[in-house]
Amino acid sequence: MDKKLKIGITCYPSLGGSGVVATELGKLLAEQGHQVHFIANSIPFRLGTFQKNIFYHEVEVNDYYVFRYPPYDLSLATKMAQVAKSQQLDLLHVHYAVPHAVCAFLAKQMVGDGLKVVTTLHGTDITVLAQDESLKDLIRLAINESDAVTAVSQDLIRETVELLDIQRPIDLTYNFIDKRIYYPRDAASLRRDFAAPEEKILMHISNFRPVKRTQDVVEVFRQVQEQVPAKLLFVGEGPDLPKMQWKINDLGLNDKVHFLGKQDDIAQVISMADVLMLPSEKESFGLVALEAMACGVPTIGSRAGGIPELVLHGKTGFLSAIGDTQSMAENTIRLLTDDRLAAEFREACLQRAHHDFCNDAIRHEYEQIYYRVLGREVPNLKPVCG
Ligand code: GMT
């Protein structure tokens, strides 16, 4: 019997961490010889160049004139079922409960019980959407009807169980990094473009949504730059951008803060930084902190959600209560003014990222879940982690 699987993956192709994780996982599975079929409304932005065993199926939305809102979710469910039948998929692995797990549930009704569904919860599908009474029952249904459910932190599992009164088991599968991409890059010349030799660089990378508390980043930086020569670099774009710009202007910090926009090569950009700022209100995991860690950059952050499971306080970063900008500023100053401490943190970051969040190990965890739901024996696919 052929032990390789045929896996359909659906994710938000252009959105943040969940899309990155889904796409990188698909690439790793394809490297192992599994056939991976992405089913989405556009090519996932991290897919890159052609890779063997990867296929893409675009969802076309019916824009019939009576529809005020074209029914993307129904088109996606139908496409999932069509692809599952035509490609004889073993399973669908969907990232995000709404609408993807719901669509997968519908697809399974169309295809039959032979098609298994694995749902990965990433965060805001639970921490924000599951608080909405109009969606709660639907999210609970999608979770309960999946053949396996995974979540990216222990804290997200806890919150899912509490908010939705879920009784079924949820597997913990942390996010991961690819050490072929995330390692300390030579960023000396790039750094010179933004900061003088004596200046430190603080960096924040996100989609500038309110949960990211970008105003806190600016406030922490205001306090830090009064004591340490420093620059603040923002990477990304999003709804809070105007508010951030007003605040920076009001504080007279325009010449010390730069906006780099969305960047593709995050490892190269992060390698310029001395610290990453992640003061989020909600953060189920904080993939960007892991990416920074893998490049040797510690995080100054909040104790929100799953961040403490990733960032070890006093070892790979410093964590404070959400909104406690004074404590965050004090911790940043401590790291930026103590070279020995900074070197220790950097080493601890590299060790932790590359050993505890190795892509091959997490890929193997997902594979074990796939074989389990299919009732098949797990082939010997031992991970190779350094
Ligand atoms: O953080 C975001 O705004 C993007 C969001 C997403 O849907 O991609 O990220 C979520 O999933 C990531 C991958 O698992 C996690 O690392 C992020 O912590 C999580 N974001 C939140 O929980 C706010």
Side-chain angles (χ1 to χ4, degrees):
M1 188 178 61
D2 184 10
K3 299 221 165 142
K4 296 298 174 197
L5 302 177
K6 293 185 176 181
I7 305 160
I9 294 186
T10 294
C11 61
Y12 283 109
S14 57
L15 186 95
S18 60
V20 171
V21 169
T23 313
E24 296 297 340
L25 175 64
K27 285 157 63 175
L28 291 172
L29 292 166
E31 278 177 24
Q32 293 299 310
H34 301 296
Q35 238 185 56
V36 176
H37 295 262
F38 282 95
I39 307 167
N41 56 22
S42 61
I43 292 216
F45 74 105
R46 279 286 184 98
L47 211 46
T49 51
F50 171 79
Q51 191 182 324
K52 194 176 160 202
N53 291 331
I54 290 196
F55 304 87
Y56 168 62
H57 307 267
E58 188 153 311
V59 180
E60 304 99 22
V61 180
N62 190 324
D63 202 2
Y64 186 50
Y65 72 99
V66 295
F67 295 142
R68 181 158 175 215
Y69 304 108
Y72 169 71
D73 305 352
L74 299 183
S75 302
L76 173 60
T78 309
K79 191 74 178 186
M80 283 172 165
Q82 283 169 352
V83 175
K85 281 185 198 160
S86 66
Q87 304 299 322
Q88 297 178 305
L89 297 186
D90 293 298
L91 59 97
L92 292 170
H93 185 175
V94 292
H95 296 257
Y96 240 84
V98 186
H100 301 156
V102 180
C103 297
F105 167 72
L106 285 175
K108 188 170 173 161
Q109 305 305 304
M110 290 180 251
V111 176
D113 210 31
L115 179 67
K116 301 298 174 191
V117 174
V118 176
T119 296
T120 291
L121 308 173
H122 281 276
T124 41
D125 43 357
I126 299 304
T127 56
V128 176
L129 296 177
Q131 315 236 15
D132 178 340
E133 288 300 327
S134 68
L135 290 174
K136 217 170 187 165
D137 289 345
L138 188 65
I139 299 176
R140 187 184 296 110
L141 172 82
I143 289 177
N144 284 334
E145 292 297 324
S146 298
D147 295 285
V149 179
T150 79
V152 297
S153 65
Q154 201 64 60
D155 188 74
L156 184 58
I157 295 178
R158 180 196 57 74
E159 196 157 4
T160 307
V161 168
E162 278 174 17
L163 265 173
L164 296 167
D165 189 22
I166 297 291
Q167 309 291 328
R168 62 161 306 147
I170 299 178
D171 291 284
L172 170 66
T173 42
Y174 283 126
N175 288 169
F176 54 85
I177 45 97
D178 188 334
K179 67 178 177 194
R180 294 168 296 186
I181 301 168
Y182 288 92
Y183 58 89
R185 307 274 190 90
D186 180 2
S189 104
L190 197 55
R191 207 187 146 95
R192 277 194 293 275
D193 288 342
F194 295 102
E198 72 284 6
E199 285 177 324
K200 301 292 184 185
I201 293 183
L202 288 70
M203 189 174 284
H204 173 81
I205 306 176
S206 79
N207 47 23
F208 303 168
R209 291 190 298 130
V211 287
K212 301 295 176 184
R213 294 186 70 99
T214 48
Q215 305 282 312
D216 285 1
V217 176
V218 178
E219 175 52 27
V220 171
F221 178 68
R222 183 193 66 74
Q223 296 176 42
V224 170
Q225 55 85 43
E226 282 174 359
Q227 300 198 35
V228 183
K231 289 278 168 62
L232 171 62
L233 302 186
F234 278 110
V235 178
E237 55 186 28
D240 278 354
L241 182 62
K243 276 199 237 160
M244 293 150 72
Q245 282 167 328
W246 292 328
K247 182 160 178 146
I248 290 158
N249 203 33
D250 282 354
L251 294 171
L253 292 173
N254 279 321
D255 57 337
K256 294 188 177 175
V257 184
H258 300 294
F259 289 87
L260 276 58
K262 256 180 151 173
Q263 293 292 327
D264 285 336
D265 194 353
I266 290 294
Q268 181 64 61
V269 174
I270 278 186
S271 295
M272 270 194 287
D274 293 289
V275 290
L276 177 90
M277 312 297 298
L278 191 63
S280 309
E281 176 114 32
K282 291 182 188 300
E283 201 66 70
S284 66
F285 182 83
L287 181 61
V288 71
L290 176 58
E291 291 172 338
M293 201 186 274
C295 296
V297 179
T299 293
I300 298 290
S302 61
R303 266 185 222 105
I307 296 179
E309 292 170 56
L310 169 65
V311 178
L312 300 182
H313 178 71
K315 284 199 165 70
T316 64
F318 283 119
L319 302 180
S320 308
I322 296 167
D324 189 346
T325 52
Q326 189 183 333
S327 152
M328 290 178 197
E330 283 165 9
N331 288 333
T332 311
I333 293 166
R334 198 173 146 202
L335 252 181
L336 296 182
T337 54
D338 183 341
D339 288 348
R340 217 174 102 191
L341 189 68
E344 274 172 31
F345 272 49
R346 180 182 165 81
E347 195 44 43
C349 280
L350 294 173
Q351 285 294 327
R352 180 159 171 75
H354 294 292
H355 290 98
D356 299 352
F357 299 95
C358 156
N359 55 1
D360 231 27
I362 310 286
R363 184 263 305 153
H364 186 54
E365 287 178 22
Y366 279 115
E367 276 171 327
Q368 286 175 305
I369 292 168
Y370 298 160
Y371 285 105
R372 188 183 78 210
V373 299
L374 289 164
R376 294 191 206 160
E377 196 189 318
V378 184
N380 194 11
L381 301 160
K382 286 272 172 285
V384 196
C385 290

